[in-house]
Amino acid sequence: MHNILVHSVLGGELQGVRSSLEANLPYPVELSGDLSLTKTYLAQRIYHLIVYDCVKFGDKDYEFLREVRANGYSFPFLILADTMTFSGYQASRSNDRLHWLKKPYMQKELVGISRKLLRSRLIPQQEFRRYRTNQNVFLETLVEGNV
């Protein structure tokens, strides 16, 4: 059975992320509001996905993730952030188990990426977002040869 750990310093975000994951995935979700509690949870149990929610993913956050990796944790991280420093972005590009989802995100995106990370650990980082539009599209065929 997979286990998910959600870390967030934003209290209101914790319950929203937890309810989204528990409603759509059949896995237990633990919540943590500070780094010391997160480290305690990681020492007590194996988690197959860590969802790391922050306002700005910076060097301090990346240091924590490197420390967790140094302690033997090999499963993926999903970072939910409004912004990311350039060094954090470079780290996510060089680390195949570090994925990020830019806020604001839809519940469908969070659940879908979490499901993919739990089932297959080697998925590519989503570079671009898809937006719904109500624009009409007109297609024309291109005929080759003499007309």
Side-chain angles (χ1 to χ4, degrees):
M1 163 102 71
H2 294 303
N3 297 309
I4 301 172
L5 176 62
V6 177
H7 168 81
S8 178
V9 293
L10 310 169
E13 299 276 332
L14 272 173
Q15 292 301 329
V17 171
R18 180 183 199 168
S19 62
S20 296
L21 293 174
E22 285 185 334
N24 296 290
L25 298 174
Y27 309 121
V29 178
E30 295 285 336
L31 300 179
S32 171
D34 64 13
L35 290 179
S36 62
L37 184 58
T38 300
K39 290 177 186 178
T40 303
Y41 280 153
L42 289 172
Q44 294 174 350
R45 187 181 219 180
I46 295 174
Y47 291 94
H48 298 87
L49 175 65
I50 295 178
V51 179
Y52 191 90
D53 187 14
C54 58
V55 177
K56 181 178 182 178
F57 185 79
D59 295 334
K60 183 183 83 162
D61 301 307
Y62 186 63
E63 271 306 310
F64 167 72
L65 299 182
R66 282 201 323 206
E67 178 183 330
V68 171
R69 286 272 190 245
N71 290 334
Y73 181 83
S74 63
F75 293 105
F77 283 96
L78 176 59
I79 294 140
L80 310 175
D82 290 329
T83 58
M84 180 178 285
T85 61
F86 185 68
S87 60
Y89 176 73
Q90 285 181 319
S92 70
R93 300 277 301 164
S94 64
N95 189 338
D96 63 345
R97 292 183 219 118
L98 184 61
H99 296 268
W100 57 281
L101 184 61
K102 187 170 175 9
K103 292 181 185 178
Y105 54 85
M106 295 188 311
Q107 176 183 351
K108 179 180 176 181
E109 291 175 308
L110 173 64
V111 172
I113 291 175
S114 298
R115 183 178 288 127
K116 285 181 183 178
L117 289 172
L118 287 167
R119 291 185 179 165
S120 173
R121 291 172 31 189
L122 299 175
I123 66 169
Q125 170 65 48
Q126 180 179 348
E127 295 280 333
F128 305 102
R129 298 187 89 171
R130 296 183 183 130
Y131 296 98
R132 297 179 197 259
T133 64
N134 293 327
Q135 298 175 353
N136 294 327
V137 176
F138 298 100
L139 300 175
E140 294 182 21
T141 59
L142 181 64
V143 179
E144 299 217 10
N146 295 335
V147 181

